[in-house]
Amino acid sequence: MHVPDVSVVVIVYNDAERLPTAVRSVLDQTLAGVEVVIVDDCSKDRSFAIAQELEAAHPGRVRAFRLPENSGGCGAPRNHGIQQATGTYVMFLDSDDVLERNACRNMLDAAERTGSDLVAGMCVRVHLDNRFGKTTEWYPWIYSRTRTLESITEYPDLLVYDTLSTNKCYRRAFLLEQGLEFPVGIHYEDLLFSAQAYVAASRITLIPNQVYFWNVVEKAAAKSISNRRHEIANFVHRMEIHRRVDELLASKGHDQIKSAKDAKFLKHDLVLHLRDLRLLDDDYRQEFARLANGYLAGIDPVAYEHVTALQAICAYLLGQEDWENLLSAADSMTNKGRLSSPLAERDGRVYWCAEHLDDAEARRILDVTDQGFHTTALTSLALGNRLTSYEDDGRGTVTMSGAVVNPLGRIGPDAELSAELEFRARRQIGVRSFRFPVATVRHAGDTIEWTATADIGSTVRPLGIIDAVWDVRLKLKAGGDRLSTRVSVGDVDLESATKLRVRPRLTRLVSDRFEPEITKKGNLSYVLTAEGAAAVRTQNLINNAMHGKAAGVVKRGLRKALRARRNIGSGEQKVKLYHEVFSKLPIKKGTVVFESHMGKQYSDSPKAIYEEMVRQGVAFDAVWSYAGARPTGFPKEATLVKRWSWPYLRALAQAEYWIDNQGFPLALAKRPGTTYIQTWHGSALKRMGFHEPRTKAQGRAGQAKFQKAVDRFDHFLIRSEHDARTLAKGFRLRDEVLLRTGYPRNDALVAAHRAEADSGERVRGPLAAELGIDPAKKVLLYAPTFRANADGAVEGFAFPFDVEEFAERLGDRFTLLVRTHYLNSVSLPPSVAGRVIDVSRRHDITPLLELADGLITDYSSVMFDYAVLDRPMVFFAYDYEKYTTDIRGTYFDLKEKAPGPVVATADELLQALGAFEEADAKYAESRARFLAEFGEYDRGDAARQIVEKFFTRGGK
């Protein structure tokens, strides 16, 4: 009899509908030698009958078993599956999930190649009820590359973070020999089973392949075990499993792993339960505190050094059972960036609360001075705003009161107060927000108290269906400050609140009630529902139709009914109104629209020009564009407009100047009275514009469209004649368009180099302290460019070297700053904290270049800017042949001109960094040649030249 390579144990309970899909994902594996072992946990529906049908349909490949009674968990059916499996290897699959098609083959290959007892791959959470098809990789930094461990002690993060059993393949003989089984009668069985397997395995291999798709329904009617945190038994089980894992680690002497696991408990497990405390009664809280504090007493004190200030504060306040201050801290932790405590000041230090400060340890933990709450502008703080009462009249009017945190009394008693209560649809489909005046706003010591009555029934007019969720905000004016705060529910009971009558614009036959709801983060929102008999019937009809055969008809009808409203906000209509309406308005003299990297940042040469204009006292109206939900880091003195919004289009149409570094929307024509200063954002290694084969392949129409867009440039900044030969020719720009000024963003680098040359000293400045960099260590900046596939789509970022190995080998000499391209993001493992720092979210790279003692890059244009500083560079060109010979090609051979070593492997990179000082002197002459060729016009006065040419002398 042929022995299967892999047995996949599929467990099921009351899931007849989804079981066939899970089994099909196993039968469709690219590995032929796979069997399915279905174990039904005594379901009450047709799950076992479906399992038997699958067995009959696939004899020899599917076998079905049923437990005599329901076990209440995943442990017993999985254990039974291990006993019944006949394959060389065993995997586990839940009936509501699926395997990636190559999962079995990839894991088997890794196991056979390495002789590992256990192979683990990437799990992906698939959010089924997310309309954008959201997926989330589960701890991707663990699976960034293939690695084989001889012991779990080589990589403790694996045990600490990846506690799943389902994204793994186990040698069955290993499970039987070690007697490994899931615990029965207790939840969170994966945590203990995975820990036991990790500790027992003589060899473990990790592969960077996706293997398991974990289907998640956030709004499921029946919550999973891990989501039923309001049940105290849930926490009892979690604590018991953690104790068993701790005992296992202690018995093996794995103290380092225990400490890392403790830190994760503080950052993850405890936080999950703290978020829900606001909704739970005193009895639950008392029992929760008893259980949690008993466990916290055994936490390694070192673990507290690896958590955030708020996480440590929460753990301390829980130990004190200080519920009021704990709930405010938990609220701030759940709503990132929100300040939910009024704070306290003692002897020049700022603390989270005024209580417990007689104790030295409490003062250490509660000290939040370094968070800067007392110095950050009020308008930049997200102040906590908690409901204190809520009443409705049973029809359409609601009266609510709340309290806004007034940190350290910064909203003074003499500040004039006024406010409005705003109801805004979460999905904006041509719907404006609705505001109600707040009747009472007054100072109340640590808070600003308010009361408002809103006649929602006759005022708020939703469309219906599309704008189903509405959020509530308080718009507070305190003196000269305008503050916007989300309204959190706090301890107010909304259980008895009635549904408010509303009149949707679409029709009351779809929905006719506003129901108050608490969001996952504890904030107040309203959801459109149906209550009237006609509305309920219509809603059911629509819901059924949306999922039935008539779905297409219903959806087409709905689209037709809303077409006029939707089209008004479409890109096509916006472009039309820009040209036909806004472009007919008079140009506003002195109005300058700035944009950096399509609104993603306040940075680069547009920022340098803007700040030089401010320094010189130029009279101008600045407009900055931003992308995303909320602008951060942009100057408060400027007018901020969201990219592609109506205010953005109007500002562009009426501006006297456009200044950006990449390109305003191609479809928007520049008016003759507007001057476009294109600063660009780097010299070119790769071919650009019409030099790209892809552009040539677009045909006449595509090339004409591109030419029309670049013809809008009135001026184009270059920093060398290399730019004139490459970028300018690639964009077919006339020589008179070119401004040979250098890049304004590099003025600061030129100044830094001169200061260093004059004084002979490196002055790091406040950024080093802000990032917590050890003054004794050199600072390296890793700044790679992005990668794109054959279609031009940007690929995700993955480290081409092991950052943990870097930290281990060189972390005592260097601090590595990681700055990915703005189109990418990065995820760092916790084990490198302090030695490797992610600075990707910092808008402006220039201060990072100033700070860095050396640069690691590949093909990024940042190499040309960093050359101004005359500091060492290392080029990690691990995919050189692929990158330089792909469809675009390069203007020159980097290996010939690079002012530093060009390395191809991670080992070579670490060796080059180990010889950092030697490379500094060895490549001094090549750095000088490189700067002369690629940065000849960077003289430190580019911004001043631009401002004097266009804004102080009246020229264009």
Side-chain angles (χ1 to χ4, degrees), residues 203 221 298 321 421 433 514 516 532 581 772 871 877 929 944:
R203 183 172 294 167
E321 297 189 32
L421 196 63
S433 63
F514 242 7
V581 178
R871 296 176 191 165
R929 289 194 301 269
R944 180 178 58 77

Side-chain angles (χ1 to χ4, degrees), residues 466-488:
I466 301 298
D467 50 348
V469 182
W470 290 65
D471 295 317
V472 184
R473 289 177 173 83
L474 183 78
K475 301 288 185 176
L476 173 65
K477 184 177 181 182
D481 293 324
R482 296 178 181 272
L483 311 172
S484 177
T485 66
R486 282 296 299 271
V487 178
S488 65

Side-chain angles (χ1 to χ4, degrees), residues 107 303 796:
M107 300 182 97

Side-chain angles (χ1 to χ4, degrees), residues 87-127:
T88 305
Y89 296 89
V90 175
M91 294 175 63
F92 302 107
L93 173 64
D94 293 345
S95 61
D96 52 348
D97 301 326
V98 293
L99 294 182
E100 194 276 334
R101 193 163 181 265
N102 301 292
C104 292
R105 177 170 57 83
N106 288 335
M107 300 182 97
L108 176 68
D109 288 347
E112 295 290 87
R113 185 177 66 255
T114 63
S116 295
D117 292 325
L118 187 161
V119 176
M122 178 86 73
C123 173
V124 180
R125 284 167 60 95
V126 181
H127 301 266

Side-chain angles (χ1 to χ4, degrees), residues 764 768-769 771-779 811-813 815 834 837:
R764 285 185 167 177
L771 295 174
I773 293 174
D774 185 344
K777 293 183 182 180
K778 295 283 187 181
V779 178
D812 59 336
R813 293 176 55 196
T815 297
I837 303 172

Side-chain angles (χ1 to χ4, degrees), residues 862-878:
V862 74
M863 70 176 80
F864 302 108
D865 304 306
Y866 195 73
V868 171
L869 293 165
D870 189 26
R871 296 176 191 165
M873 286 186 265
V874 177
F875 298 83
F876 185 27
Y878 58 91

Side-chain angles (χ1 to χ4, degrees), residues 591-795:
T591 297
V592 187
V593 178
F594 297 87
E595 185 172 286
S596 179
H597 294 305
M598 296 185 290
K600 292 182 174 68
Q601 300 176 352
Y602 171 62
S603 67
D604 214 76
S605 291
K607 172 189 175 184
I609 294 172
Y610 167 80
E611 293 184 349
E612 180 65 21
M613 293 172 72
V614 173
R615 269 193 297 271
Q616 293 197 28
V618 175
F620 70 113
D621 291 324
V623 179
W624 270 93
S625 103
Y626 70 91
R630 177 184 292 182
T632 56
F634 289 85
K636 294 180 174 54
E637 300 78 13
T639 299
L640 304 185
V641 294
K642 187 172 183 178
R643 204 169 196 264
W644 272 112
S645 67
W646 294 115
Y648 173 81
L649 297 175
R650 180 164 183 163
L652 284 176
Q654 294 192 270
E656 185 180 9
Y657 290 93
W658 290 359
I659 299 178
D660 90 314
N661 64 354
Q662 190 154 344
F664 289 109
L666 301 183
L668 305 181
K670 180 186 70 68
R671 298 173 67 178
T674 301
T675 299
Y676 191 167
I677 303 173
Q678 172 57 257
T679 70
W680 203 240
H681 54 274
S683 299
L685 170 61
K686 271 210 157 185
R687 295 186 177 274
M688 303 292 293
F690 288 99
H691 290 163
E692 293 185 52
R694 261 198 301 264
T695 306
K696 297 175 182 178
Q698 288 179 352
R700 290 185 179 179
Q703 291 183 37
K705 183 178 179 181
F706 183 69
Q707 185 68 62
K708 186 177 180 180
V710 297
D711 282 347
R712 298 178 301 173
F713 303 161
D714 295 298
H715 305 282
F716 188 89
L717 274 57
I718 63 172
R719 57 194 303 263
S720 68
E721 288 306 305
H722 168 76
D723 292 350
R725 294 189 300 270
T726 56
L727 285 170
K729 297 294 184 185
F731 292 143
R732 295 180 180 174
L733 300 176
R734 304 182 310 278
D735 190 71
E736 57 267 28
V737 171
L738 306 182
L739 290 180
R740 291 169 167 80
T741 61
Y743 283 166
R745 72 181 185 188
N746 288 343
D747 290 349
L749 300 181
V750 175
H753 177 59
R754 287 174 179 166
E756 186 177 339
D758 292 343
S759 67
E761 296 181 5
R762 282 273 286 111
V763 179
R764 285 185 167 177
L767 180 57
E770 182 183 341
L771 295 174
I773 293 174
D774 185 344
K777 293 183 182 180
K778 295 283 187 181
V779 178
L780 299 176
L781 175 64
Y782 177 47
T785 191
F786 69 95
R787 303 299 195 274
N789 60 27
D791 298 324
V794 176
E795 297 177 349

